[in-house]
Amino acid sequence: MARTADRLPHPETLWSFASAKAAVAAGMGSFWPEGRRIAEDGSLVLEDGGGNWCRLVRVEGGRFLLVGWDRSGETTNPYRTPTNLFADAPSWLPWEWIGRAEERRALGFAYWWDGREWARSDYPGDVEEDGVGYHTGPYRDAASATEGIGALLEDGHLAELEEWEDAGQEEFDAFRARVGELMEAVGHRAVTGADLGFLSDIPFDADAAMSVLRRAGVAAGTSPEAVPVPAGTEVPAERLRVRRLSDREWCLLVEPVMRACRERERPAPPETGPLRELSDALRALAADHGGAVTYTVSMGEWSASPSLTAADGSWLDVPPGLPDFTLRRAEAHPEHGRWFFLRVRATPEAVEVDRAYDHWPEWAGERFAIGGGVPVGDVAAEMERRDPRWRPDWVWLLDEEVVYDPPADPFARPER
């Protein structure tokens, strides 16, 4: 059952003051103008440069949709019960637009305005925060917008101007009062060029700002240029499916099967420059640490977990700059794929190299790249590149269908 969301401002209020933030960013030029804008599809985009974002879009019939993601949110936490943001969604949501938004990045919240009130899908009991308040709170009224936009202007430019270096509180209060007057005009959708005149003493492109305000329908005598996106007619069946495994649970499901798998025989990769570089570095370390060292690394697409031990088994600091990722790429085979685990045992005279492509060997330790369990996304990306004839039998566990219908026994592939 959908939950009413009374804490959000009216969508037209949110649209007006958030558009003002985008307009000010455009006027400031280099200060994240692309992060705050009206997109080509007519949606209002707000990004903070740190990964947090939201998009507000008009939907035909006087309705709105607000989606986004914030690092404080718990709906996408891989350690929590999966959250279906659209489990209780109405049929009129713009499903094609939502699909395109999801192609860009994952959603952490979704709220819809039906013409009377905001609502969202119900969350699992362990989710207390989705982050939407951080994106809507600064635009709930003129006072909130004055605070945020005034700070943006001051931090972005005023503090850099010589005449403000010795400014007292009165000057800053007077400037913030002018920002407040501008926000009052924004709230009435009656902004004119004169309302931006107080910014003429600082580097500010008033024409660029007014262009955004006109597109948003916040300038005097204008209405929003954006054509509302088409409403949907039916909730897609896949949106109603209940995901039963979190990302963390999926990773842990795959782990024992990958550990138990047998490695297929492969010819050793030809020697490469990165391998010679790594071997030379480890032979030198062996000479300094009892005559032998063992270097082990497990790798995903973007992360690695290396370790180094001396002849007596003691742990050593891993020196920076070892060619882990370079070596893995250099040894990639178009059919056999890339290894996930590498062990190099070195003495001052020689090195011995072990690689694992299909299974998680005992010598690899307890960590696969960064995190616990098998990094399913990284492993799936590798298996997609690899020739099907060289994929292990357990590769079916990487299918997204598994999170909706997990097997009772991951070692036995069910009949589907």
Side-chain angles (χ1 to χ4, degrees):
M1 182 177 180
R3 291 290 188 95
T4 301
D6 295 331
R7 60 175 174 162
L8 301 188
H10 191 283
E12 294 290 1
T13 299
L14 178 59
W15 179 275
S16 295
F17 291 120
S19 296
K21 188 72 165 284
V24 167
M28 295 171 69
S30 62
F31 204 76
W32 295 340
E34 292 303 315
R36 303 178 175 102
R37 67 192 187 279
I38 297 177
E40 292 184 1
D41 63 5
S43 62
L44 180 59
V45 180
L46 296 175
E47 301 173 353
D48 69 356
N52 306 306
W53 64 278
C54 72
R55 297 180 71 180
L56 179 65
V57 66
R58 296 174 178 274
V59 183
E60 62 182 1
R63 296 169 288 202
F64 285 83
L65 173 66
L66 175 69
V67 298
W69 182 89
D70 191 274
R71 66 170 55 88
S72 68
E74 300 168 345
T75 60
T76 57
N77 189 321
Y79 294 91
R80 293 180 178 272
T81 304
T83 302
N84 183 348
L85 299 179
F86 300 103
D88 305 311
S91 59
W92 59 261
L93 288 189
W95 298 108
E96 291 186 7
W97 186 92
I98 291 170
R100 291 193 296 271
E102 289 174 322
E103 290 175 358
R104 297 183 179 92
R105 60 190 77 184
L107 307 185
F109 56 79
Y111 289 77
W112 47 88
W113 173 269
D114 63 2
R116 301 183 307 276
E117 61 185 9
W118 285 108
R120 63 162 173 81
S121 292
D122 198 12
Y123 293 159
D126 58 349
V127 173
E128 297 181 356
E129 177 62 69
D130 62 10
V132 71
Y134 295 99
H135 297 268
T136 59
Y139 313 110
R140 61 179 178 269
D141 52 35
S144 302
T146 297
E147 182 68 23
I149 293 177
L152 177 67
L153 284 163
E154 292 168 5
D155 292 344
H157 281 304
L158 296 186
E160 301 176 6
L161 299 180
E162 293 182 4
E163 55 266 37
W164 283 88
E165 290 181 357
D166 300 321
Q169 189 62 44
E170 290 183 2
E171 286 86 352
F172 278 96
D173 288 345
F175 180 82
R176 190 60 69 92
R178 296 299 301 275
V179 177
E181 293 171 4
L182 171 61
M183 291 305 105
E184 288 294 335
V186 168
H188 292 94
R189 297 196 173 187
V191 180
T192 66
D195 293 308
L196 301 176
F198 72 102
L199 299 172
S200 61
D201 293 335
I202 65 173
F204 189 84
D205 187 342
D207 290 338
M210 285 300 298
S211 176
V212 175
L213 294 171
R214 283 191 291 269
R215 289 190 64 195
V218 177
T222 65
S223 57
E225 294 181 4
V227 176
V229 298
T233 58
E234 183 179 5
V235 180
E238 63 270 16
R239 297 288 181 178
L240 300 177
R241 302 184 70 190
V242 177
R243 181 170 170 168
R244 295 172 56 192
L245 294 182
S246 68
D247 287 346
R248 168 71 170 170
E249 291 169 330
W250 193 8
C251 293
L252 294 176
L253 179 76
V254 178
E255 179 178 344
V257 183
M258 190 176 186
R259 286 186 179 277
C261 176
R262 297 182 60 184
E263 188 75 13
R264 296 183 60 181
E265 293 292 333
R266 287 174 171 80
E271 188 178 43
T272 62
L275 181 60
R276 288 191 293 270
E277 179 184 346
L278 178 61
S279 299
D280 291 344
L282 295 178
R283 282 199 297 265
L285 287 169
D288 295 335
H289 296 280
V293 295
T294 299
Y295 178 69
T296 306
V297 61
S298 61
M299 301 191 68
E301 294 292 288
W302 306 107
S303 61
S305 292
S307 64
L308 182 67
T309 57
D312 61 2
S314 61
W315 294 94
L316 303 173
D317 291 335
V318 177
L322 296 181
D324 298 325
F325 289 99
T326 305
L327 175 59
R328 186 171 185 253
R329 288 192 297 268
E331 293 191 343
H333 189 280
E335 295 182 357
H336 303 162
R338 307 182 186 196
W339 46 262
F340 294 112
F341 304 94
L342 177 78
R343 179 174 64 176
V344 182
R345 291 172 284 184
T347 67
E349 297 78 26
V351 297
E352 181 179 339
V353 183
D354 297 303
R355 303 171 181 85
Y357 295 74
D358 305 317
H359 80 298
W360 188 333
E362 292 183 2
W363 51 258
E366 297 301 315
R367 290 174 64 86
F368 189 156
I370 296 176
V374 174
V376 171
D378 286 11
V379 175
E382 158 61 17
M383 294 304 173
E384 182 66 24
R385 289 191 298 260
R386 190 180 296 183
D387 188 291
R389 295 171 296 177
W390 288 91
R391 296 171 185 168
D393 292 340
W394 54 265
V395 72
W396 65 273
L397 288 170
L398 307 178
D399 192 313
E400 288 192 0
E401 185 66 26
V402 167
V403 302
Y404 296 99
D405 186 17
D409 180 3
F411 288 88
R413 183 171 186 170
E415 297 292 335
R416 295 190 185 278

